Amino acid sequence: MTTPSTVRTLKQTIVRLRDEKATKCQIIHALTDGILVLKPNLTIKSINDQAKNLLIHSAEPNLKQHSLSLFKNKKGTVSFKLLPWLERVKQQAHKDDEHAEHQVLVWRIHPKTLETAPLLLKATALLSKNGQVKNLLLLIYDRTLHVQIDEQKRLMQVAFNSLNGQCITNEKGFITHPNPSFVQMSGLSTQTLIRMTFTQWFEQYVHFKSVSTVTSVLATLLKNKTWSGEVEINAQTTRFDALISLSMLVDDEYNVEHYMVSIQNITDIKAAQLQIQHMAFYDELTELPNRRFTTEHLQLALNRHQTQSTYGALLHINLERFKTINDAFGRKTGDLFLSQTALALQSTLGSNHTLTRVGGDEFAIICSLHSTTLAKAHSQAIQLSHTICDALNQPIEIAGLTLHSSARIGVACFPENATDSAENLLINADLAATKAKQLKNSYKIYAYDPTLSIEVKKHRILEDALNQALAQEQFELFYQAQMGAQDALHGVETLVRWNHPILGTVPPNTFIPIAEENREIIKIGLWILTKAFHQAWLWNKTHPNLNMSINISPIQFHEADFVKHLIDLLKMTHANPQNLTLELTEGVLISDTETALSKLEALSQLGFKISIDDFGTGYSSLSYLQKLPLHELKIDKSFIARIPESADDIAIVESIISLARHKKLTLVAEGVETQAQVNFLRQQPVDIIIQGYFFSQPCSASTFAAQFLTQLSPLDAPK
Ligand code: C2E
Ligand code: MG
Ligand code: MG
């Protein structure tokens, strides 16, 4: 029977139960983790807001209807099926202990934002007293933070175990965690390290390069929370260059929590840097400083002398005949020759002079003379130049060869005025060395003076004028007679003349090198050949045996089309190649011998004769004489000039004569000016063709014809 008190008690119980249920509901919804209670058929009995957010993204939850976007992996390629998993939990409930938990980490990919989040799912089957599954409880934990922390830990571990030495200290600076690389680099044991502060370690084992003290490092660290710089670490057994990075970890109130020290061994980097620097400033072959180094150091020397009011000098050394050695014996020998020359030069110098290599066969010496006057610097530099010339005049032995060279030296003293610069000094010394080439003395040493710069300007003017000369018809061919036996006319050499309206007659020795430098000689040479072939054809009409010799520039000869041009010209002018001699110099024949040989053979086949001009002045490698199809040697006029006074020159001429006899070559002596020279040549056992002022000056075609071609000599009777 229901009494009022029973009703009241019941009502109170109902109210209490409702309150409790409401409180539980509130608690469940307030939880940051997701909670789902499922019925045995796996439909949702209750779910809190967090579970909706984490799992379902929907206000009307239904595990069956929603695609849950759950995956077994972070990449989202292997999907996770929640219901079958819960089904298995349910199935296993009887086998499990009471409240046994099943858990799995899955990845949820948000269907709209595609953000991934790791979720830990924990499922528990709730059983009734008779062992039936009453409900399934599914807890969902957001593991984003845990995963992030794990990732960071792994990252820290990898970083900490890197090849760089790293150590962490406590707030007092005591080393607490040295990584294996730090232990190894410090050369100390972990036990020793953890008994010291990092500053103690610095003081004992680290030498700071850019700053002087540990205190100043700490001051920067306190201010910026980081410091890094180059140091030298004196470990127990080794010393090495390192980069140290320091950082200070502080909390929000700027209390130090840790210091971190990181060391990177930069020995390799330093070595590579040095290597690069060496390559940029040093010459590989001779190991001497290069041109760049020269310019920089010269500028420093110049500044120093300017402030100290003292004087120094720059010597520019050019090797004579290096190109010939290179051409004749090959690059390898040339390289060895240069290295040996560098050594020979170095041995003549004291420590206050710097030897450098500024070009192929060009060296420079920056002399710190500390002279108090320019005149003293000048005389000291000239004296040093003499010593150098003496040293370089000595023959150098390389692989059984005895190679001779010599030096010409340009001297530029400094400072001369406030506007001096390293570049200008190098140019001036180079100019002086070029000028030294023209000296006839045994010491080819020339000191720069400002007139040289004027010469350079003149060179430029000539260069410009030369480019117009062909078009303006300023060239003319002159002819010089060559007399055979009984002083009968044998032939004629063509010699080009340049008549400039303002500059006057410019000699070929002046303009041909310029035309060769800018390759204008190719066009000029073709003009000369055309003119000479035509003249030869004209004169051969009345003097069919008259020979014409034509000078060929090496640049012209080395042109790929040279032979073809000659064939075309023969067709055009109808000249007879049997009456044409091509004069080449020794240098042409010994450089690129194979090509030269095939060209000469082709020319010989066509009927041309080949002569070596200025014979005896090139490199006396006579081996090429064996190989090449030659017809004539022209004894250089410098040997003829000192005959009959010079016994040496007589000996040279006699040996050329015997060589020509042996090889059955025609001999021409050029530069013959005196009766005594003619007598000497005529006494020789072979007929020598004589060319020189003694018989004729080079002259125009009409003068030559009037002088030599009016009467037919017996040799010239028409065939
Ligand atoms: P080279 O071919 O050895 O010519 C001989 C030089 O000696 C000529 O000088 C000539 O005038 C000069 N000479 C002739 N007889 C005497 C003498 O008795 N005593 C002295 N001291 N000299 C004498 P040139 O005409 O000034 O030519 C100089 C050089 O210029 C030539 O030397 C040759 O290498 C070059 N050259 C001249 N004409 C041409 C040319 O048409 N083409 C090329 N590529 N070079 C040329
Ligand atoms: Mg000649
Ligand atoms: Mg000559």
Side-chain angles (χ1 to χ4, degrees):
M1 195 177 148
T2 318
T3 62
S5 70
T6 323
V7 171
R8 205 168 45 245
T9 319
L10 210 63
K11 275 184 181 168
Q12 281 170 349
T13 310
I14 288 167
V15 170
R16 186 175 51 79
L17 284 174
R18 271 197 195 134
D19 279 356
E20 271 176 22
K21 192 180 173 192
T23 313
K24 272 184 192 160
C25 267
Q26 279 172 359
I27 291 171
I28 284 173
H29 283 287
L31 283 174
T32 51
D33 301 318
I35 298 177
L36 262 162
V37 182
L38 302 167
K39 294 178 192 163
N41 67 357
L42 301 184
T43 54
I44 297 171
K45 189 175 170 191
S46 69
I47 181 165
N48 72 351
D49 292 343
Q50 190 60 2
K52 285 180 200 164
N53 280 341
L54 287 175
L55 195 59
I56 299 173
H57 326 291
S58 165
E60 292 167 28
N62 180 340
L63 295 187
K64 283 181 188 154
Q65 275 171 19
H66 287 276
S67 151
L68 294 174
S69 309
L70 294 178
F71 296 89
K72 287 183 181 169
N73 60 344
K74 190 178 179 181
K75 279 189 188 162
T77 50
V78 187
S79 64
F80 174 76
K81 304 271 185 275
L82 180 62
L83 284 178
W85 182 70
L86 289 171
E87 195 62 51
R88 272 199 305 281
V89 175
K90 203 176 87 184
Q91 302 292 326
Q92 286 188 352
H94 305 290
K95 298 175 204 155
D96 293 340
D97 301 338
E98 205 180 343
H99 300 307
E101 260 184 5
H102 294 261
Q103 65 176 41
V104 62
L105 184 79
V106 297
W107 294 84
R108 185 207 62 199
I109 298 185
H110 195 286
K112 285 192 187 121
T113 62
L114 296 180
E115 274 174 24
T116 54
L119 300 178
L120 181 69
L121 306 182
K122 281 190 183 178
T124 316
L126 303 176
L127 303 177
S128 62
K129 277 187 188 144
N130 58 10
Q132 291 301 305
V133 174
K134 200 168 57 174
N135 289 117
L136 271 179
L137 179 66
L138 177 63
L139 300 174
I140 305 155
Y141 302 98
D142 185 350
R143 305 300 280 191
T144 308
L145 269 178
H146 291 73
V147 167
Q148 273 173 4
I149 290 167
D150 284 352
E151 238 174 50
Q152 267 176 14
K153 265 193 199 160
R154 274 201 302 277
L155 211 70
M156 287 290 289
Q157 201 58 40
V158 171
F160 202 61
N161 284 335
S162 78
L163 288 175
N164 289 348
Q166 283 172 341
C167 79
I168 299 174
T169 78
N170 64 14
E171 74 283 3
K172 294 196 177 91
F174 274 96
I175 296 169
T176 52
H177 295 79
N179 79 345
S181 299
F182 191 93
V183 175
Q184 190 255 321
M185 283 181 178
S186 69
L188 302 170
S189 67
T190 310
Q191 284 70 26
T192 314
L193 282 168
I194 58 172
R195 277 198 293 272
M196 48 194 341
T197 63
F198 74 98
T199 48
Q200 284 169 341
W201 180 70
F202 280 176
E203 264 154 10
Q204 287 181 46
Y205 300 104
V206 178
H207 167 67
F208 290 89
K209 289 193 174 168
S210 53
V211 283
S212 48
T213 58
V214 176
T215 325
S216 54
V217 171
L218 291 180
T220 316
L221 183 64
L222 280 175
K223 196 168 144 226
N224 303 338
K225 291 201 270 186
T226 60
W227 179 90
S228 80
E230 225 182 284
V231 299
E232 190 185 67
I233 294 180
N234 303 320
Q236 294 293 64
T237 48
T238 55
R239 242 163 210 254
F240 59 92
D241 288 308
L243 196 70
I244 282 197
S245 305
L246 274 175
S247 45
M248 188 172 84
L249 270 73
V250 292
D251 64 13
D252 295 342
E253 284 151 9
Y254 219 88
N255 298 309
V256 176
E257 288 179 331
H258 302 281
Y259 295 96
M260 281 190 63
V261 184
S262 166
I263 329 169
Q264 186 190 357
N265 185 333
I266 54 167
T267 314
D268 290 353
I269 298 172
K270 292 283 271 193
Q273 253 175 5
L274 273 177
Q275 172 81 8
I276 290 167
Q277 210 178 3
H278 197 269
M279 275 157 63
F281 286 100
Y282 287 81
D283 161 48
E284 224 180 309
L285 176 69
T286 58
E287 304 245 312
L288 289 177
N290 62 12
R291 193 176 186 95
R292 198 168 146 200
F293 177 103
T294 313
T295 316
E296 290 191 7
H297 275 246
L298 187 58
Q299 190 62 51
L300 292 177
L302 189 57
N303 298 346
R304 206 173 43 246
H305 283 289
Q306 262 159 350
T307 46
Q308 293 171 357
S309 300
T310 52
Y311 297 87
L314 173 70
L315 309 189
H316 194 285
I317 303 162
N318 280 58
L319 298 184
E320 301 263 75
R321 308 210 297 175
F322 171 70
K323 196 181 169 317
T324 324
I325 290 174
N326 221 14
D327 290 344
F329 305 111
R331 222 195 136 98
K332 214 169 152 192
T333 308
D335 282 356
L336 285 170
F337 182 81
L338 284 174
S339 310
Q340 299 262 34
T341 305
L343 289 177
L345 272 168
Q346 194 77 68
S347 65
T348 62
L349 300 177
S351 59
N352 49 345
H353 303 314
T354 311
L355 173 67
T356 70
R357 183 172 175 218
V358 288
D361 58 352
E362 296 165 42
F363 296 86
I365 299 171
I366 305 169
C367 310
S368 263
L369 300 169
H370 301 293
S371 315
T372 46
T373 63
L374 201 57
K376 273 190 197 158
H378 178 268
S379 78
Q380 277 179 281
I382 298 288
Q383 207 181 336
L384 180 62
S385 302
H386 276 91
T387 317
I388 291 167
C389 281
D390 285 338
L392 296 191
N393 274 339
Q394 303 302 316
I396 289 178
E397 304 276 337
I398 290 169
L401 295 166
T402 306
L403 302 174
H404 298 265
S405 176
S406 57
R408 56 191 161 86
I409 303 181
V411 179
C413 293
F414 58 85
E416 277 206 285
N417 51 55
T419 56
D420 277 352
S421 72
E423 277 87 6
N424 281 345
L425 275 172
L426 277 163
I427 293 170
N428 293 351
D430 190 6
L431 278 179
T434 311
K435 185 74 184 171
K437 200 176 195 169
Q438 297 165 11
L439 298 177
K440 300 276 177 261
N441 338 353
S442 45
Y443 289 105
K444 292 189 190 302
I445 301 165
Y446 199 92
Y448 171 80
D449 68 80
T451 55
L452 279 184
S453 303
I454 297 166
E455 275 186 33
V456 174
K457 276 193 199 130
K458 221 171 123 192
H459 186 280
R460 294 233 175 87
I461 292 169
L462 279 179
E463 209 176 355
D464 289 344
L466 196 57
N467 290 338
Q468 320 288 326
L470 258 187
Q472 312 266 331
E473 297 183 357
Q474 291 167 356
F475 291 117
E476 186 186 0
L477 282 194
F478 266 33
Y479 300 88
Q480 187 177 32
Q482 297 176 326
M483 313 308 274
Q486 285 95 46
D487 297 347
L489 179 69
H490 164 84
V492 57
E493 180 179 6
T494 58
L495 295 160
V496 68
R497 295 290 174 260
W498 176 20
N499 304 312
H500 189 271
I502 299 164
L503 302 169
T505 304
V506 186
N509 279 335
T510 307
F511 75 82
I512 287 190
I514 302 175
E516 285 176 341
E517 264 168 40
N518 64 16
R519 302 186 68 80
E520 193 66 11
I521 192 69
I522 312 260
K523 283 191 258 164
I524 301 174
L526 201 59
W527 179 88
I528 293 169
L529 282 169
T530 317
K531 190 91 183 155
F533 277 29
H534 182 69
Q535 190 64 67
W537 173 74
L538 270 179
W539 283 341
N540 279 157
K541 280 187 190 173
T542 49
H543 297 75
N545 291 330
L546 181 75
N547 187 76
M548 183 166 293
S549 294
I550 307 163
N551 293 288
I552 306 293
S553 152
I555 308 282
Q556 200 182 355
F557 179 78
H558 287 304
E559 271 288 276
D561 284 342
F562 179 65
V563 177
K564 183 181 170 296
H565 283 155
L566 289 191
I567 296 171
D568 292 347
L569 276 181
L570 285 180
K571 281 187 200 145
M572 197 176 93
T573 58
H574 305 292
N576 179 4
Q578 314 280 345
N579 285 342
L580 296 172
T581 300
L582 305 176
E583 289 190 11
L584 298 161
T585 46
E586 286 172 82
V588 171
L589 304 176
I590 48 181
S591 66
D592 196 1
T593 331
E594 289 308 307
T595 328
L597 181 65
S598 71
K599 276 190 185 172
L600 291 179
E601 270 164 0
L603 294 171
S604 243
Q605 289 284 312
L606 288 166
F608 290 103
K609 280 175 270 170
I610 311 295
S611 170
I612 303 186
D613 202 354
D614 305 338
F615 188 75
T617 56
Y619 203 80
S620 36
S621 152
L622 298 180
S623 57
Y624 63 87
L625 284 181
Q626 312 286 347
K627 297 192 219 157
L628 303 175
L630 303 175
H631 304 86
E632 181 183 283
L633 299 183
K634 285 187 85 173
I635 308 169
D636 187 64
K637 58 178 178 292
S638 61
F639 303 120
I640 304 293
R642 292 183 289 261
I643 281 175
E645 304 84 46
S646 160
D648 282 354
D649 287 346
I650 287 180
I652 292 171
V653 170
E654 281 176 350
S655 68
I656 297 176
I657 290 170
S658 83
L659 179 77
R661 260 183 95 185
H662 182 66
K663 293 272 156 211
K664 299 194 173 50
L665 298 173
T666 307
L667 256 187
V668 181
E670 63 180 0
V672 179
E673 296 181 0
T674 64
Q675 184 66 59
Q677 289 164 343
V678 175
N679 293 344
F680 169 82
L681 294 165
R682 289 283 179 247
Q683 277 162 21
Q684 299 306 316
V686 282
D687 285 340
I688 298 175
I689 295 159
I690 298 178
Q691 180 183 345
Y693 298 161
F694 182 78
F695 287 111
S696 120
Q697 292 274 343
C699 56
S700 67
S702 54
T703 311
F704 180 81
Q707 202 177 334
F708 291 98
L709 303 179
T710 44
Q711 292 170 358
L712 289 189
S713 75
L715 276 172
D716 282 336
K719 280 175 188 164

